[in-house]
Amino acid sequence: MAKRLLVAITLWALGGPAGLHHLYLGRDNHALLWMLTLGGFGMGWLWELWLLPGWVAQANRTLELPRDGPPPFSPVRFLGQASVGIYFGLVALMGLSALPGFYFLALPLAVGLGVHLVSAVGDQSSDLQATLKAAFITAPIFYGRSLAIFPITLTTSVTAQRHRCYKSSKRTREKLGARLYRLGLAYLAFTTPLAYSVFYNTVATASYVAGTIRSTLDWLSVFPSLSSALESVLLLPYHAWKMLGFSGGSFQEWEQVFAFVHSVQNERQRMALKVLGIHDDATPEEIHKSYRELVKLWHPDHNRHRAEEAERRFIEVQAAYELLTQMRKPKPT
C-alpha cells in the first residue's frame, strides 16, 4: 500500500520522538533508534520534517538512490554512531557492570550494537561482524576503566564507516505484527537491565554514574572551556530537582551525584584562584592583571634554565585563567 506524506507528517508531529513515522515508512532501525533515544536525545527528530518527502518516495519506490560503490562519508552519521555508542556504553555500565567479565563482553557488545544500529539506519548498513570485532579487540586494552567507552566507540565508529554499504534494494516486506514483535524484544532487552538498576539498585547505579562523570571531567581538564560547559549541563537536572523539591528515597542518591558535580566545579574554581594567587571575590580586572603578570613570569622563553617547571606553570596559569573567565562570564538574561 502506498505511503502518504500527510500521514507521515501527522505521525512525525504526534509521535516523532517515539519513531512512529519511521515505523509507518518501514524504517524499523530508525524507529528503534528513536525509541531508545527519545528521538535522537529529544532533538534529532525536529529537522526530519524536511526529509519526510524523500523518505516517503523511497518507501513507495518512486525514488531510487545510486548504489554504485560505497555510500559517501557522512559526518552526521559518524557523530551519530559515536553518540549512540557512548550512550549504549553508559547504559550498559549502569545496568550490567555487576556481570562477570563485563569489560570483556557486555561493554564492547553494547557499544558495538549501538554503533551498528546507527550504521543500519535508512538505506545504508555496515558489517556487523567487523564492527563487533573492533569493539572486542579494543576493550581489553582499557580493561576496568569507565573511560573505555570512548576508545571503544571511536574504534567501532571508524570501522563501521570503513565497511559502509548500501542495503539490498530487493527487500521483502514483513507483516506489521512481526516487525512490532522484533522491535518490542529489542526495546525490552535495552530497557530492562537499566530499569532494574535505576529502581532496585539505585545506590550502585548512582556510584557508577558519579565515577563516569569524575573520569570524564578529569579527562577534559585540559580543555577548561569544554569541561566547564559540561559541568554546567550536568548541573541542570540538579537545579531542576532542587526547584521541584524532590526528596527522599532514590532521589537522595541521585542528588548526591549532582552535588558531586557541583563540588567538583567549586574545587576547580578554588584551585584556579590558588594558581593565580587571588581571592575569591577578585574582580575581572584583578584576575586579568594576575594572569598577565604570571604569564610573563613563567613564559618558557624567560626560563630556559628550568624549562619543564616553567612550561608546567605556564599551562596551569592559562588553564586557570580560562576556567575563571568561563565560570564568571555574565549569564544571559
Side-chain angles (χ1 to χ4, degrees):
M1 184 172 63
K3 305 299 181 182
R4 297 183 179 276
L5 178 59
L6 181 59
V7 176
I9 293 176
T10 302
L11 292 174
W12 170 86
L14 297 178
L20 294 184
H21 54 301
H22 291 301
L23 185 64
Y24 171 69
L25 296 175
R27 301 167 58 88
D28 289 359
N29 288 327
H30 211 156
L32 177 61
L33 177 63
W34 258 215
M35 289 166 59
L36 299 181
T37 63
L38 293 179
F41 309 109
M43 298 179 293
W45 69 277
L46 290 174
W47 63 281
E48 290 186 331
L49 178 62
W50 316 108
L51 303 176
L52 283 176
W55 288 341
V56 171
Q58 289 181 37
N60 292 327
R61 306 294 175 89
T62 59
L63 174 64
E64 290 295 335
L65 299 177
R67 298 179 181 272
D68 296 333
F73 173 77
S74 171
V76 174
R77 188 178 290 263
F78 181 80
L79 290 176
Q81 290 171 345
S83 300
V84 175
I86 293 172
Y87 171 58
F88 273 45
L90 290 174
V91 170
L93 188 66
M94 289 189 290
L96 302 172
S97 56
L99 294 177
F102 167 77
Y103 287 95
F104 284 120
L105 180 60
L107 181 60
L109 179 62
V111 173
L113 290 177
V115 170
H116 183 75
L117 179 59
V118 180
S119 303
V121 163
D123 63 330
Q124 296 185 27
S125 188
S126 187
D127 188 335
L128 175 60
Q129 184 176 355
T131 301
L132 292 179
K133 185 183 296 184
F136 282 111
I137 291 175
T138 308
I141 302 175
F142 302 92
Y143 177 81
R145 302 178 184 177
S146 300
L147 284 179
I149 296 172
F150 296 102
I152 296 174
T153 300
L154 179 61
T155 304
T156 52
S157 298
V158 171
T159 302
Q161 281 292 319
R162 291 188 61 186
H163 291 83
R164 62 187 185 275
C165 60
Y166 285 111
K167 294 178 181 177
S168 173
S169 57
K170 299 179 180 179
R171 285 176 287 172
T172 58
R173 296 184 181 273
E174 292 184 285
K175 293 183 178 180
L176 180 60
R179 293 165 55 203
L180 291 176
Y181 176 74
R182 187 173 63 250
L183 288 173
L185 288 180
Y187 185 81
L188 287 175
F190 180 88
T191 57
T192 300
L194 179 62
Y196 173 81
S197 181
V198 169
F199 291 105
Y200 296 100
N201 197 16
T202 308
V203 176
T205 303
S207 175
Y208 293 135
V209 174
T212 302
I213 292 174
R214 183 195 302 272
S215 300
T216 303
L217 293 177
D218 288 342
W219 184 67
L220 291 175
S221 61
V222 294
F223 307 105
S225 299
L226 184 58
S227 179
S228 178
L230 179 60
E231 289 173 6
S232 299
V233 171
L234 291 173
L235 284 171
L236 288 177
Y238 172 72
H239 295 313
W241 238 313
K242 300 294 287 186
M243 289 178 60
L244 294 174
F246 286 128
S247 62
S250 61
F251 291 110
Q252 292 180 347
E253 286 80 15
W254 287 107
E255 185 176 2
Q256 292 174 10
V257 175
F258 298 117
F260 161 76
V261 178
H262 191 260
S263 67
V264 169
Q265 193 177 51
N266 291 336
E267 178 65 17
R268 291 183 188 279
Q269 181 176 0
R270 187 186 67 80
M271 292 300 297
L273 292 170
K274 182 178 180 181
V275 168
L276 294 182
I278 54 180
H279 48 83
D280 185 54
D281 56 348
T283 64
E285 291 75 18
E286 291 174 325
I287 295 174
H288 185 67
K289 180 181 178 181
S290 177
Y291 165 71
R292 288 177 61 87
E293 292 175 351
L294 290 173
V295 163
K296 291 179 180 178
L297 176 64
W298 292 110
H299 197 286
D301 292 343
H302 303 156
N303 296 273
R304 298 186 182 278
H305 58 291
R306 46 177 179 175
E308 290 187 5
E309 180 185 3
E311 183 177 1
R312 177 175 58 82
R313 294 290 186 90
F314 187 76
I315 293 174
E316 286 179 353
V317 169
Q318 288 185 316
Y321 177 71
E322 186 176 350
L323 177 63
L324 289 176
T325 302
Q326 290 291 329
M327 294 182 68
R328 300 193 175 198
K329 186 179 296 184
K331 299 292 189 298
T333 57

